[in-house]
Amino acid sequence: METNMFMKRAIELSKMALQTGKGGPFGCVIVKDGKIVGEGHNQVTSTNDPTAHAEVVAIRNACKNLNSFQLEGCEVYTSCEPCPMCLGAIYWARPSKVYFANTREDAKQIGFDDSFIYDEIPLSISHRKIPMLSMNRNQALLVFEEWKNKSDKTEY
């Protein structure tokens, strides 16, 4: 399969989400060594899961298929520029490259506007629209200290 075919599949998946009523018009394919190892389409409304974006679904699928929590050496083909959540998931998964078709501006034109999240990220916690309040930090720090000293942990 040539590169173009992977993006075509991501776009097919976006159309599938739209036509089946499973979620918004977004699709994603993950490729390793020229083969599709994971794919997904938006399933937010059909699963009542706000994190079930195409990229997250595809990452979960690929990681399961590869038996790995990272996607080193993989390429992501997504029908739209990733939203902030998906962008974060992509960075955590560590693929080598991301290709996208539609832009976030294109998504905004059909009602998927992520600019409010991009605007919130650089703000200090005290200026964000959703109140974020720290509590029980001393207890939580004990767990972090235990992790820090754990000799058999899997780093990521």
Side-chain angles (χ1 to χ4, degrees), residues 21-105:
K22 301 261 183 188
F26 304 96
C28 183
V29 170
I30 299 176
V31 175
K32 185 168 187 168
D33 300 326
K35 294 178 184 160
I36 294 175
V37 295
E39 61 181 29
H41 58 75
N42 185 288
Q43 299 176 28
V44 170
T45 57
S46 61
T47 61
N48 293 319
D49 180 353
T51 69
H53 289 201
E55 295 90 339
V56 172
V57 172
I59 288 169
R60 290 173 180 163
N61 183 244
C63 287
K64 180 180 177 185
N65 291 336
L66 294 172
N67 196 31
S68 174
F69 56 83
Q70 293 186 335
L71 298 175
E72 290 181 37
C74 293
E75 295 177 338
V76 176
Y77 294 80
T78 182
S79 66
C80 188
E81 182 180 353
C83 75
M85 177 186 70
C86 293
L87 185 61
I90 287 166
Y91 272 93
W92 279 116
R94 295 177 174 86
S96 60
K97 197 175 287 184
V98 176
Y99 298 94
F100 64 93
N102 292 318
T103 68
R104 65 184 186 190
E105 288 302 315

